[in-house]
Amino acid sequence: MTQIRLRNTKTRKVEEFAPIDPRNVRMYLCGPTVYDRAHLGNARPVVVFDVLYRLLRHVYGADHVTYVRNFTDVDDKINATALARQQAGAPGSLEELIRERTEETIGWYHADMDALGALRPNFEPRATDFIGAMIAMIADLIAKGHAYAKDGHVLFRVRSYENYGALSGRSVDDMIAGARVEVAPFKEDPMDFVLWKPSDAGLPGWDSPWGRGRPGWHIECSAMSYELLGASFDIHAGGIDLQFPHHENEIAQSCCAHPEGHFANYWLHNEMLQVEGKKMSKSLGNFFTVRDLLDQGIPGEVIRFVFLQTHYGKPMDWTAEKATQAEATLRKWRALTDGVTPAAQPAPGVVAALADDLNTAGAMAELHALSADPAVLKASAALLGLLEDGMGDWAKAPDVDLSAHAEALSALRANAMETKDFAPVDALKSALMAAGVEVRMSKAGVELLPGPGFDASRLPPL
RNA sequence: GGCGGGUUGGCGGAGAGGUUACGCAGCGGAUUGCAAAUCCGUGAAGACCGGUUCGAUUCCGGUACCCGCCUCCA
């Protein structure tokens, strides 16, 4: 069996992956807060850990991996959108408008991630479906002395968990010295974070022992991972920006609530995405969503290819140049593997590269060496979610009949061979190329193929 | 201020303490009426300064620069 090795943020070392139960390898990825379209950065962990999911399925069997990715549908930005719609005259209660908004956003998310070739996880729990589990966990934390209620809030007592800061390499005292923590009158300690907060009439809320309110940010992942994967599971993944405080807080909550377990054994974090060398931000004007790129005609498979060219642990720079190159390579591979039945097994070199801490860039280099064997190329690319049937329509040549043009060109060329005047041939060739037609002339004859920029309306008249 | 990541040839981007990464672009050749496509070949690197070593781009230390997190943004 292939030995997978993964860099574990918890130990900062590359470790051999040993699942708790090889018949049920369990992985949790922090999913989106569904307040709007997913931006390009949101897509990176989805694609990266989709490759991990595919690798785990390959090694342990497709039925022996459980992949959970949550939807956080409790959020003040969602509330704000719902409120704005209500004030603009939209019918329905605030709760209904919130549900409407999150349904809409989840639909977009699915469509966009599907376009990137990401497999759907086995479970996609919504926070609002697990409020009861969160309340139970919070009550348990209070009972065990790790949390306290004050003024309608419930806070986690950070000082009660001695390992707090271990994942991110910080000490509580250092963080206080940083003085960026929110000080509030209901906190025992400035580091304590909110498990539950009160909701007024204009906000969604659920009844709880501490009054009507809503959960804080971190508790939903702890509650849902416990419900679906148990007190101990294998892999917990997400963007590096979540390492602190989100994942640190998840660990504190989960380990204090379930001291019998050890939460996630392996923590994987992907580095951030940049755009043309700079952080993607609205103020720099380089902020865009996955849908923006798809609408510009950049295929999801091309986006995926660009992502996987960079190792997940390094910052990944999105550039238009990379997209262009990726598209050219994919076109070449698509042409090579079109209609080919994939081999039964992927190339060992590709599996080995992926098993080495998801070295997707190395795996792609291996793919380049497989152009002589399209069946193996296709089977190997599938581990990366590339060259799969159903995702390649963008690369298919338009179905047009250029035979009349080909005959015309062929006749002109035959004539030119006699007269040695090639000007008419070149004129027609230029016109065809201007319409996006690829012109191939050999001694065997003339071949016309619609190229990437093919435009039938610009074809020269016969 | 605290914590973390990075710096490889024109561009992108890996592995390995000593032997060609790979892709794109470039250059040379085959092929072509000329091209395109394809095939063959080829030059080019390891931020800077020290250390360890027979030998370092690869290990260790330092410097510079870049980036991220510490603000419910993956």
Side-chain angles (χ1 to χ4, degrees):
Chain A
M1 181 179 280
T2 304
Q3 175 62 58
I4 298 174
R5 304 171 76 243
L6 298 171
R7 174 168 291 278
N8 189 351
T9 310
K10 198 158 76 172
T11 59
R12 283 142 216 231
K13 291 193 176 96
V14 178
E15 300 174 347
E16 296 203 338
F17 176 68
I20 296 165
D21 178 3
R23 292 162 307 169
N24 184 18
V25 180
R26 285 160 285 163
M27 149 170 144
Y28 186 97
L29 174 65
C30 283
T33 302
V34 284
Y35 64 94
D36 205 349
R37 283 269 185 202
H39 66 248
L40 192 62
N42 296 122
R44 172 125 107 133
V46 174
V47 170
V48 162
F49 297 114
D50 176 65
V51 173
L52 177 58
Y53 180 44
R54 289 168 188 265
L55 178 67
L56 291 170
R57 284 161 61 96
H58 174 73
V59 172
Y60 295 97
D63 297 332
H64 300 288
V65 183
T66 304
Y67 174 25
V68 177
R69 184 181 65 207
N70 67 289
F71 285 117
T72 297
D73 55 354
V74 181
D75 174 75
D76 287 345
K77 286 193 279 291
I78 299 170
N79 304 337
T81 301
L83 192 60
R85 287 182 176 186
Q86 190 178 54
Q87 287 168 349
S93 69
L94 202 52
E95 279 74 17
E96 285 165 348
L97 288 170
I98 286 169
R99 191 75 183 182
E100 196 175 280
R101 174 58 170 174
T102 56
E103 290 288 347
E104 173 181 57
T105 312
I106 288 172
W108 290 339
Y109 188 81
H110 275 144
D112 295 349
M113 297 308 125
D114 287 353
L116 297 180
L119 299 173
R120 295 278 179 95
N122 301 95
F123 296 98
E124 295 185 282
R126 296 172 66 147
T128 48
D129 291 332
F130 286 82
I131 300 291
M134 293 185 219
I135 290 172
M137 186 177 254
I138 293 169
D140 185 38
L141 285 168
I142 293 175
K144 287 174 173 157
H146 293 294
Y148 55 94
K150 183 84 187 291
D151 300 342
H153 293 74
V154 180
L155 290 113
F156 186 87
R157 188 174 279 129
V158 167
R159 299 271 183 193
S160 78
Y161 179 57
E162 60 178 353
N163 286 331
Y164 192 84
L167 178 73
S168 51
R170 301 152 196 256
S171 76
V172 175
D173 294 323
D174 283 349
M175 286 183 271
I176 301 225
R180 291 275 193 98
V181 290
E182 183 193 2
V183 181
F186 48 80
K187 287 186 177 181
E188 277 180 9
D189 186 291
M191 278 312 297
D192 293 348
F193 59 89
V194 171
L195 297 171
W196 190 264
K197 52 192 168 187
S199 294
D200 61 31
L203 286 169
W206 290 262
D207 290 328
S208 80
W210 318 287
R212 182 173 177 276
R214 59 199 195 282
W217 176 32
H218 317 289
I219 192 70
E220 89 275 22
C221 286
S222 285
M224 292 189 285
S225 64
Y226 176 72
E227 295 295 323
L228 295 167
L229 298 176
S232 302
F233 56 96
D234 297 300
I235 297 170
H236 193 129
I240 187 69
D241 57 332
L242 293 182
Q243 183 189 25
F244 186 89
H246 183 57
H247 289 161
E248 201 72 72
N249 292 354
E250 277 188 54
I251 291 173
Q253 294 161 353
S254 292
C255 289
C256 289
H258 303 290
E260 75 280 12
H262 28 94
F263 203 38
N265 285 341
Y266 301 86
W267 286 85
L268 268 62
H269 290 102
N270 63 278
E271 254 293 348
M272 297 290 99
L273 176 130
Q274 299 186 321
V275 174
E276 305 287 350
K278 291 182 176 151
K279 181 182 177 172
M280 182 163 79
S281 75
K282 285 177 179 168
S283 59
L284 287 171
N286 62 356
F287 182 96
F288 50 86
T289 64
V290 174
R291 181 52 52 183
D292 290 335
L293 288 181
L294 295 172
D295 286 347
Q296 285 166 27
I298 298 175
E301 190 175 27
V302 169
I303 299 171
R304 184 181 184 93
F305 187 106
V306 172
F307 278 3
L308 297 181
Q309 266 185 313
T310 301
H311 188 268
Y312 75 89
K314 285 192 171 185
M316 133 96 219
D317 192 18
W318 173 270
T319 66
E321 173 66 21
K322 284 184 179 178
T324 304
Q325 286 195 11
E327 180 169 338
T329 303
L330 279 169
R331 270 184 198 284
K332 196 170 75 179
W333 285 351
R334 281 264 169 210
L336 218 53
T337 57
D338 186 37
V340 170
T341 303
Q345 290 296 322
V350 174
V351 178
L354 292 179
D356 181 14
D357 193 30
L358 290 185
N359 184 356
T360 52
M364 307 252 293
E366 294 285 332
L367 292 183
H368 280 290
L370 295 173
S371 46
D373 196 341
V376 176
L377 171 60
K378 197 167 181 177
S380 305
L383 267 184
L384 292 156
L386 296 170
L387 303 184
E388 297 202 286
D389 295 331
M391 260 191 87
D393 287 348
W394 65 272
K396 285 211 170 36
D399 188 17
V400 288
D401 183 8
L402 295 171
S403 60
H405 288 92
E407 279 168 33
L409 184 61
S410 189
L412 275 180
R413 181 162 173 258
N415 190 46
M417 295 288 196
E418 304 288 325
T419 64
K420 300 297 172 198
D421 175 14
F422 288 93
V425 186
D426 289 339
L428 179 55
K429 189 177 78 173
S430 300
L432 287 166
M433 286 167 65
V437 178
E438 192 180 293
V439 180
R440 299 184 184 178
M441 286 189 276
S442 68
K443 54 190 175 207
V446 170
E447 196 181 358
L448 300 183
L449 299 166
F454 177 71
D455 182 356
S457 68
R458 296 183 63 190
L459 281 173
L462 286 163

